[in-house]
Amino acid sequence: MLRKLCRQVGQQVGQQARFTAYRTFSSTKALRKDAAPQEAAESGPPKNILVEKDKNITLIGINRPQQRNAIDSLTASQLCDAFATFEADDTSPVAVLYGVGGSFCSGFDILEISTDEKEEISVDILMRPEGSVGPTRRQIKKPVVCGINGYCIANGLELALMCDLRVMEESAVLGFFNRRFGVPMLDAGTIRLPAMIGLSRALDLILTGRPVGSQEAHDIGLVNRIVPTGTALGNALELATCIAKFPQRALIHDRNSVYSSTFETSTFHQAVQNEVMFTSREIIEDMQNGIKWFNQTFQPDNTHSWLKRDRSMADWDDEEVAEAAAQKEKLKQEQEAALAEAEKQKQAEKDQKKSKKAEEKPAESADSKDPKDKPTEK
């Protein structure tokens, strides 16, 4: 009897202890849930867009690797702010856009506008003035180079088309995969793509939504460079540095004229007028300074080569390739100079032979005179 009573008391104590432990665990869990929004509010919104500078180049990175860099409304807003800051920065002539992690961008984050609990889908996010994934519905004021790695699909591909030049890793994949889900293109891709690769090819990619590899993308003019896997950002940065070396006023003038003739004008005459009207007084001054420098640097005696280069034009490659190209260029110039010297020496020898023959001719004519013509001795 005593043993049975002790067993019942023990069971009650155990149940009470388990209930106390469960209540403590539940309370702690509830406190953590309540504390999470407070911690998020104190730390501020997540940094989905990373902005930094490498010398005078602005680097803008999409930082949502867990979502394959899919862009939600907060990320799109931060990306617009990053580009606005870059455009207002007079010390940075070129920007590089890239994706953190294994992909460039997988498009708009559909999970933000469609969940199991929410049957209706709001399209307000997609109808933003600047674009659903960034400032895609306007022209950026300065050049932007895009480094493409992993997946660059759907609206992410439209974001890449916003950039001036695209550097693509050999293992990366492009495509309008949104075709599979009935999601339309809303970030100016239907405008930019036909202008870049032609109507027929653009329709092929847009209507089929098929994946496009790096070689095909390069062959049709969709990307400008193919680089080894893992080097898109580095090569994009070197290409941007190459562009930043040039006088920027004339470069921006030519860039604006190209975009105007492609998207804003309907006739050749109007495009030519815009090309002239875009020329400012500052551009004329830069041009005059460039001509003065050219005249002071290249003298008339530099006949074998009028173009001197500090580095090869392949200076977006690594140092070894650039050095090899410079050595090749130097050897070529030396061969040209040697060839010119040989031609000069050959011409001198010809002239010398001609003059020698001219001297020998009077002597031969004197010896060949008739003896009857000679005076006779008396």
Side-chain angles (χ1 to χ4, degrees):
M1 185 69 180
L2 181 61
R3 185 178 297 174
K4 186 177 180 181
L5 181 62
C6 290
R7 190 181 297 116
Q8 290 177 351
V9 171
Q11 289 175 352
Q12 290 178 358
V13 171
Q15 290 175 357
Q16 183 67 26
R18 284 195 298 272
F19 174 75
T20 304
Y22 172 76
R23 185 173 59 184
T24 303
F25 175 76
S26 301
S27 301
T28 305
K29 190 175 181 181
L31 286 173
R32 286 179 179 173
K33 283 185 178 179
D34 295 339
Q38 184 176 358
E39 291 176 0
E42 291 176 357
S43 62
K47 293 189 69 174
N48 295 338
I49 298 296
L50 304 179
V51 181
E52 56 183 326
K53 289 184 73 173
D54 187 295
K55 297 180 182 178
N56 62 340
I57 307 298
T58 299
L59 303 177
I60 302 174
I62 306 171
N63 185 32
R64 298 188 78 206
Q66 291 81 8
Q67 292 80 19
R68 291 187 184 273
N69 289 328
I71 296 181
D72 57 4
S73 56
L74 176 62
T75 308
S77 177
Q78 291 180 0
L79 189 58
C80 291
D81 293 341
F83 273 104
T85 303
F86 159 65
E87 290 175 309
D89 186 1
D90 295 333
T91 65
S92 181
V94 187
V96 172
L97 179 64
Y98 68 99
V100 177
S103 289
F104 171 72
C105 179
S106 59
F108 190 82
D109 192 352
I110 300 178
L111 296 178
E112 184 186 30
I113 59 175
S114 175
T115 62
D116 294 336
E117 300 174 357
K118 186 178 178 183
E119 294 181 358
E120 295 183 359
I121 297 176
S122 174
V123 295
D124 294 339
I125 300 174
L126 303 179
M127 301 307 294
R128 295 185 171 188
E130 287 199 302
S132 65
V133 293
T136 53
R137 294 174 188 160
R138 66 180 181 87
Q139 181 185 326
I140 307 301
K141 297 178 181 178
K142 294 186 284 188
V144 181
V145 180
C146 176
I148 299 174
N149 61 321
Y151 285 98
C152 175
I153 57 176
N155 305 76
L157 178 51
E158 294 185 86
L159 187 62
L161 296 177
M162 178 196 72
C163 303
D164 297 88
L165 299 174
R166 284 155 294 282
V167 177
M168 182 178 180
E169 293 183 0
E170 57 189 2
S171 60
V173 178
L174 310 178
F176 294 107
F177 289 8
N178 49 304
R179 181 62 55 237
R180 307 174 185 181
F181 313 112
V183 178
M185 297 168 59
L186 298 169
D187 288 275
T190 58
I191 294 93
R192 291 189 175 103
L193 188 64
M196 290 182 183
I197 65 175
L199 177 62
S200 179
R201 286 171 172 164
L203 285 173
D204 178 17
L205 301 189
I206 293 171
L207 298 183
T208 63
R210 64 182 178 84
V212 180
S214 58
Q215 191 59 55
E216 182 185 359
H218 184 269
D219 292 343
I220 66 177
L222 187 53
V223 299
N224 306 94
R225 307 280 187 276
I226 301 177
V227 298
T229 301
T231 65
L233 176 56
N235 281 276
L237 178 59
E238 291 189 9
L239 180 55
T241 303
C242 175
I243 297 172
K245 294 189 303 183
F246 300 121
Q248 291 301 302
R249 288 194 182 99
L251 186 145
I252 295 298
H253 165 272
D254 295 346
R255 175 179 179 267
N256 291 341
S257 181
V258 168
Y259 280 123
S260 174
S261 64
T262 303
F263 297 111
E264 297 176 3
T265 60
S266 57
T267 64
F268 176 79
H269 180 68
Q270 186 180 357
V272 172
Q273 283 185 328
N274 288 348
E275 186 179 51
V276 175
M277 294 303 295
F278 287 150
T279 306
S280 63
R281 181 178 298 178
E282 291 79 8
I283 294 175
I284 298 297
E285 291 177 357
D286 287 348
M287 182 176 68
Q288 291 174 344
N289 293 333
I291 293 173
K292 288 179 182 177
W293 172 82
F294 186 91
N295 290 334
Q296 293 171 359
T297 304
F298 304 111
Q299 302 298 329
D301 58 345
N302 294 335
T303 55
H304 62 278
S305 176
W306 64 271
L307 178 60
K308 293 184 178 179
R309 300 173 182 168
D310 296 333
R311 293 182 65 188
S312 168
M313 289 303 290
D315 54 359
W316 49 78
D317 294 332
D318 57 11
E319 293 293 334
E320 293 181 1
V321 174
E323 185 178 354
Q327 291 291 337
K328 188 176 181 180
E329 183 69 21
K330 184 179 178 182
L331 180 61
K332 182 181 177 182
Q333 291 182 4
E334 289 176 353
Q335 290 175 348
E336 290 176 355
L339 185 62
E341 185 64 28
E343 288 289 337
K344 189 176 178 181
Q345 187 174 358
K346 191 175 180 181
Q347 186 62 36
E349 290 176 357
K350 284 184 179 180
D351 295 341
Q352 188 176 2
K353 286 181 180 180
K354 283 182 181 180
S355 60
K356 199 170 183 181
K357 284 183 179 180
E359 290 176 359
E360 291 175 353
K361 255 187 177 181
E364 290 176 0
S365 60
D367 295 340
S368 61
K369 280 184 180 181
D370 192 350
K372 294 180 179 179
D373 297 336
K374 291 183 181 179
T376 56
E377 294 181 2
K378 292 182 179 180

